């Protein structure tokens, strides 16, 4: 078992202790007249602050995801979830975090914003991690390990046995970002939250759920960790419109499943077609809604696509990704257009 008291930043621990001693807040929804929050009595229903515990949304999500509502924390996008992990567990200029490389660049960005040392451990040529190397990069001041599976920009699932070794062998918090997990048929670590008291799993409504505009992220963890997030989160952080839209999306999950099936078929078609392009050297297998392609001249292809009004991600500046582009799977029409344009591409050199 982990000792959360030793992992949480001292000032956060003090805040939590203070919160525990304050009177429990009154359930406002049951009140006839509410004159406690300086709200405007007009423009109903938007005049009132939204539900602060998002019970209805969490219960809908829990039924679908195979967890309890007490194992769910909702954030303002997964970016807030990432930032909160730093603010809760990492003391600026003292603690550090360890992450795989290449991976989601937001982990490094928020480390810098929070003044936390960021240590990266290179993946192997197959974009897989070595648990022993990752753990060797840790010391007594390492509070978080960041893993992303399926990883970005590589698109692959990290070896489950190696991830397990990391979670079991680390005395701090292991954060597993499963933003793209719905595009894979593999078992998720979200389904195993009850096994690991030091694990946080991040998910989002932005990818498979096609709801990037509502900015809703999800944290799955054991109740002890979720309680900490609840106590340090900003008041009313999830607005009412977001909550209502998310509930509606969850109730139309069969549409989402159909979209995912279409995207997976398109992914297979796109990977095969891309591999046959004369400007492409190699396409890596993917378990996400994108794929990584090594080009003969990524910069030239990238600029050519931009001129045609098509934006992809140039990953050439990332470790192990020289001359690589990351291509998101679009609609059938969008995919056909980019393939047609690239078939007409002629190298400038």
């Amino acid at each position: 078992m982990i000792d959360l008291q030793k992992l949480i930043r001292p000032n956060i621990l003090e805040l939590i202790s203070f919160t525990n001693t304050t009177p429990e807040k009154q359930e406002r929804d049951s009140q006839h007249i509410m004159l406690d929050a300086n709200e405007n009595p007009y423009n109903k229903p938007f005049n009132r602050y939204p539900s602060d515990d998002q019970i209805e949304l969490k219960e809908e999500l829990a039924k679908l995801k195979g967890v309890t509502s007490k194992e769910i924390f909702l954030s303002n996008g997964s970016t807030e979830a990432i930032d909160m992990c730093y603010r809760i567990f990492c003391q600026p200029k003292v603690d550090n975090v360890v992450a795989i490389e290449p991976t989601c660049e937001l982990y490094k960005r928020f480390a810098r914003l929070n003044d936390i040392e960021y240590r990266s451990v290179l993946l192997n040529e197959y974009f897989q991690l070595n648990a022993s190397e990752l753990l060797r990069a840790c010391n007594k001041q390492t509070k978080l390990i960041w893993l992303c599976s399926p990883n970005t920009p590589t698109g692959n699932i990290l070896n489950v046995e190696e991830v397990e070794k990391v979670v079991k062998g680390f005395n701090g918090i292991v954060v597993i970002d499963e933003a793209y997990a719905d595009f894979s048929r593999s078992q998720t670590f979200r389904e195993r939250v009850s096994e690991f008291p030091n694990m946080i799993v991040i998910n989002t409504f932005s990818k498979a759920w096609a709801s990037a505009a509502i900015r809703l992220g999800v944290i799955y963890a054991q109740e002890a960790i979720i309680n900490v997030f609840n106590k340090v989160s900003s008041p009313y952080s999830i607005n009412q419109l977001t909550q209502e839209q998310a509930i509606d999306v969850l109730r139309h999950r069969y549409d989402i499943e159909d979209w995912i099936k279409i995207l997976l078929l398109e992914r297979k078609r796109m990977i095969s077609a891309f591999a046959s392009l004369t400007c492409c050297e190699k396409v890596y297998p993917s378990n996400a809604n994108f794929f990584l392609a090594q080009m003969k001249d990524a910069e030239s292809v990238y600029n050519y696509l931009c001129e045609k009004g098509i934006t992809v991600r140039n990953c050439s500046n990332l470790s192990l990704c020289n001359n690589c582009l990351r291509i998101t799977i679009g609609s059938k029409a969008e995919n056909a257009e980019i393939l047609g344009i690239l078939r007409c591409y002629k190298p400038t050199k």
Side-chain angles (χ1 to χ4, degrees), residues 17 19 78 91 106 108 128 138 143 145-146 150 171-172 205 218 256 269 280 282 292 299 314 342 344:
S17 299
T19 305
S78 56
Q91 194 167 350
L106 287 173
K108 183 182 290 185
Q128 283 296 339
C138 303
K143 292 295 183 66
I145 290 179
W146 292 99
N171 292 323
F205 273 67
V218 187
I256 307 299
R269 183 176 75 89
C280 182
K282 178 180 181 180
L292 190 69
E299 186 71 21
N314 190 349
L342 285 176
C344 298

Side-chain angles (χ1 to χ4, degrees), residues 285-317:
S286 174
N287 285 279
N289 68 328
F290 61 85
F291 61 91
L292 190 69
Q294 186 176 50
M295 315 303 290
K296 293 177 179 176
D297 187 345
E299 186 71 21
S300 176
V301 173
Y302 175 81
N303 291 333
Y304 172 75
L305 289 173
C306 286
E307 290 171 3
K308 302 295 182 180
I310 297 176
T311 304
V312 297
R313 181 67 185 274
N314 190 349
C315 299
S316 298
N317 63 321

Side-chain angles (χ1 to χ4, degrees), residues 7-145:
L7 294 176
I8 297 170
R9 277 172 54 176
N11 65 307
I12 299 297
L13 201 57
E14 184 179 349
L15 173 66
I16 292 170
S17 299
F18 171 76
T19 305
N20 284 338
T21 61
T22 57
E24 194 170 315
K25 68 178 180 180
Q26 193 175 35
E27 183 53 61
R28 301 185 79 231
D29 292 343
S30 64
Q31 303 305 302
H32 175 55
I33 297 177
M34 294 180 286
L35 303 176
D36 61 326
N38 299 337
E39 297 155 317
N40 193 312
Y42 305 109
N43 194 36
K44 294 180 180 180
F46 304 111
N47 61 320
R48 299 296 180 188
Y49 287 110
S51 169
D52 203 18
D53 45 22
Q54 310 103 28
I55 290 176
E56 185 181 3
L57 174 52
K58 287 179 180 176
E59 287 178 348
E60 287 287 334
L61 193 57
K63 285 188 290 187
L64 186 63
K65 295 297 185 178
V67 298
T68 69
S69 60
K70 292 182 178 179
E71 294 172 326
I72 297 173
F73 174 82
L74 299 176
S75 61
N76 197 330
S78 56
T79 49
E80 185 187 39
I82 293 168
D83 188 38
M84 287 185 72
C85 287
Y86 280 108
R87 289 192 284 116
I88 290 171
F89 297 108
C90 299
Q91 194 167 350
K93 298 183 183 295
V94 175
D95 295 325
N96 67 73
V97 301
V98 171
I100 57 175
E101 185 179 342
T103 194
C104 175
E105 295 180 274
L106 287 173
Y107 313 146
K108 183 182 290 185
R109 171 179 169 78
F110 281 102
R112 289 173 177 167
L113 285 171
N114 286 280
D115 206 5
I116 306 298
E117 180 190 353
Y118 184 90
R119 301 179 175 187
S120 56
V121 177
L122 203 63
L123 298 173
N124 67 20
E125 60 184 309
Y126 305 105
F127 299 134
Q128 283 296 339
L129 67 90
N130 181 299
S132 297
E133 290 183 9
L134 206 66
L135 292 171
R136 275 198 297 271
C138 303
N139 63 13
K140 291 181 180 180
Q141 298 307 134
T142 306
K143 292 295 183 66
L144 301 175
I145 290 179

